Amino acid sequence: MKKSGYIKLVLMATALSACSNSKSDRERAVYMRSDTTAHYSRAHGMGMGLGYLGYYYAFRPYGSYGAGGGFARTGYYSGAINKGSNIGTNGVKGTAVRGGFGGTVRSSAS
Amino acid sequence: MKRHNITPRIGWQQKVEELGFNFHTLESPYWDESVYYEFSMTEVETLEKATNDLWELSLNAVQYVIDNNLYHQFHIPEWFIPHIEDSWNNDAPAIYGRFDFAFNNGKPKLLEFNADTPTSLFESSVVQWHWLQDFDERCDQFNSIHEKLIACWSYLKEYLHPGYLHFTTARDSAEDLTTTEYMRDCAIQAGLETKFLYLDEIGWDTTFPQFLDLEDSIIRNIFKLYPYEWLVHEEFGQNILKDRSKTLWIEPSWKMILSSKAILPILWKLNYGHDNLLESYFESDKELAGSSFAKKPILSREGANIQLMNNGKMLAETSGEYGEEGYIYQALCTLPDFDGQYPLIGSWIVGQESAGIGIRESNSLITDNASRFVPHLIRQ
């Protein structure tokens, strides 16, 4: 036989549907974090799959690229956080810059 | 190799969506199960051998490029060469690639090698496998991609830095996100701890030069579905060399050599007359290609900016925005013609082994981003 005997997926359907479906108010309220450089606050254990992706996809920042290529965050896809929020604490908070990769996209990568 | 028209499964859209395959229909169906291709075991073994042989030749070609300092022919920036050579000399983990073949009269000929960011992985590995379970589960298929990916991640585990394996791709491409998340799925099943973030979310620590994720954790290992030729020209590109954590990038940067069309003339030069290779030349030797050739940009994607010439006459041509790095000239080898449908075989290498195939079918001689993915099976 040349084919796989059995195919199991542990992540796929959940991951991709999480990208296209909006979160319920309850989910958004539970999975809160302060901003992109602070730790997430966790309401559940860190198991992979639905729990992990649930909080993760709820807080994608959105914004735009400036002339220099830097990413300026203007808010979050989740309505559970204010764009001015900056209440987390972290040893390197404020020293990380983002948005320096991903600007060349022409179509699919292949 | 035979082509069969069939009736698609009732509710096929829902069936493939349940697998996580949400870009099955673009302007027209991309996943097309109104057709399948049938192979004999002899044909499959021929494809398998060609894939394994070409992988070996490809590795030799990388060594040749490095030993002879031929980076200029690939338009690789000089400052990035140390990273490429480090990744090669240290055997940085690599996991996959896809050889694209024209398969005429039982003979595979290499058209190009997608060594850095090959897509259609999920369709090849999972979607067509499930199609076969419904269509005729007793039949075989040239497809052990899924179990080989899990085995390969499992093998690579001890070669990764401690900590998470991050996965990243650009926003706004369902195809790339699917491929990346599928790869992550396999890594999870191999026992790796993973995180996903988009490329623009990758942070650069300006105090201690290293890459950070969204939780400000150091990125020690990262699988990226994004071409090196784009990465190195972006704002953070040069940080890859400044990175004090020496993040492992997967695929490794030596794949930048193999993913360029410039590897094709080198493969030909090193393996003149090989059964699975087509005569290929750089522009400086283009007269050697005669009047029937494919003119391909050194760096390009999805069949863009290709010209097919037959006895001096244009056979087919695509537009696009590539070509500024120059072109290579490859002996003309057209795809097989099944009543005006032209299948291209993408043959997967996972780890060091041939792992299976996926087929893209097109209405024209040049396979592009509108070409359909069609399943296949093996009949004895």
Side-chain angles (χ1 to χ4, degrees):
Chain A
M1 290 291 278
K2 293 285 185 188
K3 69 178 175 182
S4 297
Y6 177 69
I7 288 184
K8 178 182 75 169
L9 297 172
V10 297
L11 170 68
M12 283 301 295
T14 302
L16 296 167
S17 64
C19 294
S20 54
N21 296 339
S22 59
K23 300 292 163 190
S24 69
D25 288 341
R26 181 179 169 278
E27 284 175 304
R28 283 187 291 178
V30 168
Y31 303 118
M32 181 171 285
R33 55 166 294 180
S34 63
D35 69 4
T36 56
T37 59
H39 291 297
Y40 291 99
S41 59
R42 294 174 188 157
H44 297 311
M46 272 293 285
M48 299 305 301
L50 186 59
Y52 171 76
L53 289 156
Y55 85 75
Y56 183 78
Y57 280 98
F59 289 96
R60 296 221 165 277
Y62 61 84
S64 59
Y65 291 93
F71 183 76
R73 189 188 75 235
T74 54
Y76 292 89
Y77 288 107
S78 166
I81 188 166
N82 186 290
K83 67 180 182 180
S85 173
N86 190 29
I87 58 173
T89 57
N90 188 297
V92 293
K93 193 172 176 65
T95 67
V97 290
R98 300 179 193 279
F101 280 138
T104 317
V105 182
R106 296 180 181 178
S107 55
S108 169
S110 183
Chain B
M1 182 180 183
K2 295 175 186 166
R3 183 179 191 273
H4 299 277
N5 290 301
I6 50 169
T7 304
R9 292 169 292 175
I10 295 168
W12 66 266
Q13 293 93 337
Q14 186 185 344
K15 288 175 188 286
V16 300
E17 284 169 14
E18 284 168 0
L19 299 171
F21 184 44
N22 294 316
F23 59 100
H24 53 73
T25 305
L26 305 171
E27 289 176 0
S28 55
Y30 162 64
W31 166 261
D32 182 2
E33 59 176 68
S34 67
V35 172
Y36 76 88
Y37 281 88
E38 173 190 332
F39 292 83
S40 68
M41 189 57 88
T42 303
E43 289 171 323
V44 164
E45 286 169 353
T46 301
L47 288 163
E48 189 174 31
K49 181 176 186 313
T51 304
N52 286 327
D53 288 352
L54 287 170
W55 176 241
E56 191 69 33
L57 301 184
S58 299
L59 296 178
N60 293 337
V62 172
Q63 188 67 63
Y64 178 81
V65 171
I66 291 174
D67 289 347
N68 293 279
N69 196 24
L70 299 178
Y71 298 100
H72 61 284
Q73 294 186 307
F74 293 74
H75 294 261
I76 290 172
E78 205 163 315
W79 62 265
F80 197 60
I81 294 171
H83 196 273
I84 290 175
E85 296 192 349
D86 278 354
S87 75
W88 177 253
N89 293 331
N90 295 326
D91 283 334
I95 191 155
Y96 73 152
R98 194 192 71 226
F99 292 97
D100 284 348
F101 290 130
F103 193 54
N104 290 292
N105 303 315
K107 291 185 179 172
K109 295 284 189 184
L110 178 65
L111 299 177
E112 62 182 69
F113 184 23
N114 294 281
D116 182 18
T117 57
T119 52
S120 78
L121 180 68
F122 186 59
E123 303 89 297
S124 302
S125 175
V126 176
V127 184
Q128 69 169 346
W129 187 90
H130 279 277
W131 166 83
L132 188 60
Q133 304 314 299
D134 289 345
F135 183 72
D136 189 346
E137 65 178 342
R138 295 164 304 173
C139 278
D140 207 350
Q141 187 176 74
F142 185 19
N143 175 19
S144 56
I145 300 167
H146 185 75
E147 58 197 35
K148 283 195 167 70
L149 284 172
I150 294 172
C152 192
W153 280 122
S154 186
Y155 170 78
L156 292 177
K157 207 167 160 182
E158 64 178 288
Y159 297 97
L160 300 179
H161 292 314
Y164 283 95
L165 170 60
H166 289 76
F167 286 77
T168 192
T169 188
R171 293 178 193 272
D172 301 327
S173 169
E175 182 182 5
D176 293 352
L177 179 64
T178 300
T179 303
T180 306
E181 288 292 59
Y182 172 57
M183 195 59 106
R184 188 159 77 99
D185 194 309
C186 293
I188 290 168
Q189 293 191 55
L192 293 162
E193 288 194 285
T194 71
K195 288 185 188 180
F196 177 89
L197 75 172
Y198 283 113
L199 272 156
D200 58 71
E201 294 174 327
I202 293 175
W204 176 247
D205 185 341
T206 53
T207 306
F208 305 98
Q210 55 198 353
F211 290 107
L212 302 176
D213 67 15
L214 279 169
E215 295 175 279
D216 286 339
S217 299
I218 301 165
I219 297 175
R220 303 297 318 281
N221 314 284
I222 188 162
F223 172 92
K224 52 90 198 160
L225 189 68
Y226 197 72
Y228 273 107
E229 67 261 26
W230 297 357
L231 274 184
V232 298
H233 290 111
E234 294 184 351
E235 186 185 337
F236 279 3
Q238 301 215 4
N239 293 346
I240 295 173
L241 266 78
K242 296 174 191 165
D243 175 15
R244 74 169 190 174
S245 293
K246 299 201 177 300
T247 303
L248 282 175
W249 292 80
I250 304 170
E251 293 296 301
S253 57
W254 59 261
K255 284 291 196 79
M256 201 173 176
I257 295 172
L258 289 179
S259 65
S260 165
K261 308 291 188 302
I263 200 65
L264 297 170
I266 288 171
L267 277 169
W268 180 250
K269 179 183 173 183
L270 296 177
N271 307 281
Y272 183 83
H274 191 282
D275 268 356
N276 302 124
L277 294 173
L278 293 163
E279 269 186 82
S280 298
Y281 301 99
F282 287 107
E283 274 185 307
S284 54
D285 296 323
K286 68 179 178 186
E287 69 280 359
L288 296 173
S291 58
S292 297
F293 55 80
K295 179 183 173 187
K296 299 179 173 180
I298 283 177
L299 298 177
S300 68
R301 299 186 176 273
E302 297 187 325
N305 300 95
I306 290 176
Q307 284 183 356
L308 302 185
M309 301 291 287
N310 189 20
N311 290 321
K313 292 184 180 170
M314 184 77 74
L315 197 58
E317 183 179 26
T318 52
S319 60
E321 51 189 302
Y322 299 96
E324 64 185 83
E325 293 85 7
Y327 293 83
I328 62 104
Y329 293 75
Q330 185 182 54
L332 181 66
C333 177
T334 54
L335 297 172
D337 182 351
F338 289 87
D339 297 324
Q341 305 299 319
Y342 302 95
L344 172 88
I345 295 179
S347 186
W348 293 93
I349 187 98
V350 175
Q352 313 293 322
E353 276 184 283
S354 170
I357 58 171
I359 300 171
R360 297 286 300 278
E361 190 183 71
S362 184
N363 301 332
S364 80
L365 284 167
I366 300 174
T367 306
D368 59 19
N369 59 1
S371 303
R372 302 168 301 280
F373 190 99
V374 298
H376 80 277
L377 56 75
I378 305 170
R379 275 218 176 87
Q380 304 289 351

